[in-house]
Amino acid sequence: MRAIDDRCLSGKRMGAELSDADKRRYARHLILPEVGIAGQEKLRDSSVCVIGAGGLGSPVLMYLAAAGVGRIGIVDDDEVDESNLQRQVVHSSAQIGLSKVASAKARLESLNPSICIEPHITRLSTENAFDIIGGYDLVIDGSDNLPTRYLINDACEILAVPWVYASIFRFEGQVSLFNYHDGPNYRDLFPTPPPPELVPSCAEGGVLGVLPGVIGSLQANEAIKYLLGIGEPLSGILLVYDALETRFRGLQISRDPKREKITELSDVEAFCASANTSTFREQVDEPKADEVDMMFHEVTASEAAQRMSEGWKPFVLDVRTKVEAELATISGASALIPHDAVEHEIEQIPTQGDILVYCHRGGRSAMAAEVMTAAGISPDRLYNLSGGIDAWSLEVDSNVPRY
């Protein structure tokens, strides 16, 4: 395992015997034959990088800190929002508006002042992934988006660093250990990213508040097992948890012998991005000539509001669910048709005039615009609201609740 870097050497007694205070703090570990003093010293001399300080990152960070992992890196570029507190238990109401990294760092240092917390207030990217991930023994994925997950996977494969994967949605979670020895990684399970509109986020689909606590704790368990070299790792197994039935099941996964080894980082985010593209189709290349006529418009919240103030009166179509519409809506919305029902309720959409389509953050509305285009509505009439109602709340009307 890598040594603790210079920023964390002060007062951390790398290689020294456990102090009396350490023995009192970690007493319940020390009496475990599988851990003992030698194991606790392994944890102290280990390093883990946690990508994301949200729902999954919260229990992961707290249990790693409590366990005495000596150096913990936290990577996140977001701030604490009130809607986070239903599940992101590392943060508190007093931290709303504060950087999640700073909030988590303060909480962990109060929990265990003998460890080192390394803040990375940034979004993991192709430019910084090697510098950040390369300094740790293990990576834990607490992210909530596909580009970051594929980036973690590819960087870890290139650097030969194992990582603990997890995802959560509504009432179900998944966990596995990837890139462990000769075991499989994320691309063996999902070779290429699907269109983002087919993978709704927790912000769009919701998540049971305790679910990330269960799944994040399992991630922390896998990490501690790996660092100690004990137990059976989840390599080659996708553990699936159903919170409604309170049941676990393990699915066997294996390496794809035909998959080429990752040797360089690709711009996965550009491939996955949808909110700022000019067309719903996700393509890396420029659109073909015969597809240009299928494009619809992208408009930001600020642009749409400005045009409306100047007299623009589009048919405003909300393609979220009824439950979401009860939480928040854009004033003057003309109709509510869930995105997966647009094809069957196309007659509700006017045959003349512009149409402004919105959802929570722009993905489902892009899908709806594509469906309307395929149904014969001119793409020149269609405007997808980039960033959805969330952007509208941030840029136009702060009285519209965020969720």
Side-chain angles (χ1 to χ4, degrees):
M1 294 184 180
R2 295 179 179 84
I4 299 175
D5 80 16
D6 292 341
R7 290 171 294 174
C8 291
L9 284 176
S10 176
K12 297 301 181 280
R13 306 183 333 279
M14 178 74 173
E17 293 184 357
L18 295 180
S19 67
D20 289 342
D22 290 333
K23 291 175 181 177
R24 289 193 297 270
R25 176 179 288 269
Y26 306 117
R28 299 302 186 272
H29 269 180
L30 303 184
I31 61 177
L32 292 171
E34 295 83 356
V35 182
I37 290 179
Q40 193 60 49
E41 289 174 344
K42 279 185 180 181
L43 293 178
R44 181 199 61 196
D45 297 342
S46 298
S47 60
V48 177
C49 183
V50 180
I51 313 295
L56 290 169
S58 289
V60 167
L61 289 166
M62 292 179 71
Y63 276 111
L64 293 184
V69 173
R71 184 163 64 95
I72 301 173
I74 312 174
V75 184
D76 203 308
D77 67 343
D78 200 5
E79 296 179 349
V80 180
D81 181 80
E82 188 174 12
S83 66
N84 300 149
L85 302 181
Q86 164 252 14
R87 64 202 177 282
Q88 299 182 17
V89 294
V90 76
H91 309 298
S92 70
S93 296
Q95 311 305 320
I96 292 174
L98 188 67
S99 157
K100 285 186 178 180
V101 170
S103 171
K105 183 175 187 292
R107 176 69 179 90
L108 300 184
E109 288 176 341
S110 69
L111 175 65
N112 190 346
S114 69
I115 64 174
C116 173
I117 306 299
E118 292 183 337
H120 303 277
I121 305 178
T122 185
R123 186 181 183 87
L124 194 72
S125 68
T126 54
E127 288 75 26
N128 63 26
F130 288 152
D131 289 339
I132 293 176
I133 289 176
Y136 296 91
D137 300 317
L138 180 72
V139 173
I140 298 182
D141 171 27
S143 66
D144 62 355
N145 64 87
L146 286 175
T148 300
R149 189 162 295 144
Y150 277 93
L151 179 58
I152 293 170
N153 179 83
D154 295 353
C156 284
E157 179 168 358
I158 294 170
L159 295 171
V161 176
W163 65 287
V164 185
Y165 153 79
S167 68
I168 53 174
F169 183 65
R170 293 186 174 174
F171 302 96
E172 184 175 289
Q174 303 176 350
V175 187
S176 191
L177 175 63
F178 289 136
N179 208 40
Y180 175 77
H181 295 170
D182 293 324
N185 70 28
Y186 191 67
R187 286 192 184 270
D188 292 306
L189 187 60
F190 304 108
T192 58
E197 70 279 352
L198 298 183
V199 188
S201 67
C202 290
E204 293 179 321
V207 62
L208 186 66
V210 301
L211 180 63
V214 175
I215 302 302
S217 296
L218 289 171
Q219 286 184 286
N221 184 61
E222 283 304 300
I224 291 171
K225 283 163 50 184
Y226 169 78
L227 297 173
L228 290 173
I230 63 174
E232 291 294 326
L234 273 178
S235 179
I237 300 173
L238 182 68
L239 185 65
V240 180
Y241 173 65
D242 185 327
L244 290 179
E245 296 185 358
T246 318
R247 291 183 182 177
F248 289 93
R249 57 194 175 107
L251 307 178
Q252 296 288 332
I253 54 177
S254 59
R255 294 183 62 182
D256 180 356
K258 297 180 181 179
R259 183 181 65 81
E260 295 184 4
K261 185 176 177 63
I262 301 296
T263 58
E264 61 181 8
L265 298 181
S266 59
D267 193 354
V268 180
E269 186 157 1
F271 184 82
C272 292
S274 64
N276 295 319
T277 56
S278 60
T279 177
F280 164 74
R281 296 179 188 78
E282 298 306 316
Q283 301 176 55
V284 175
D285 300 325
E286 290 297 317
K288 298 179 178 63
D290 60 354
E291 292 177 334
V292 173
D293 291 340
M294 295 293 286
M295 289 184 181
F296 49 80
H297 305 283
E298 288 280 342
V299 60
T300 68
S302 298
E303 291 168 345
Q306 178 64 31
R307 292 187 61 178
M308 287 176 175
S309 70
E310 296 172 352
W312 187 45
K313 296 181 179 180
F315 180 86
V316 181
L317 177 61
D318 183 351
V319 296
R320 299 171 301 150
T321 65
K322 182 179 179 181
V323 172
E324 288 177 279
E326 291 173 349
L327 293 174
T329 188
I330 292 177
S331 178
S334 308
L336 171 66
I337 306 175
H339 77 282
D340 53 3
V342 168
E343 181 179 7
H344 305 291
E345 300 187 31
I346 200 76
E347 69 280 354
Q348 293 191 39
I349 300 170
T351 57
Q352 300 294 325
D354 292 340
I355 303 167
L356 177 64
V357 194
Y358 78 91
C359 62
H360 187 200
R361 290 182 174 170
R364 286 172 289 170
S365 53
M367 176 186 290
E370 177 71 4
V371 169
M372 286 186 280
T373 298
I377 295 177
S378 170
D380 284 341
R381 298 173 52 209
L382 295 171
Y383 292 80
N384 182 46
L385 185 64
S386 296
I389 194 172
D390 193 59
W392 189 271
S393 177
L394 291 171
E395 300 175 20
V396 179
D397 184 0
S398 60
N399 290 320
V400 174
R402 299 184 67 199
Y403 63 93

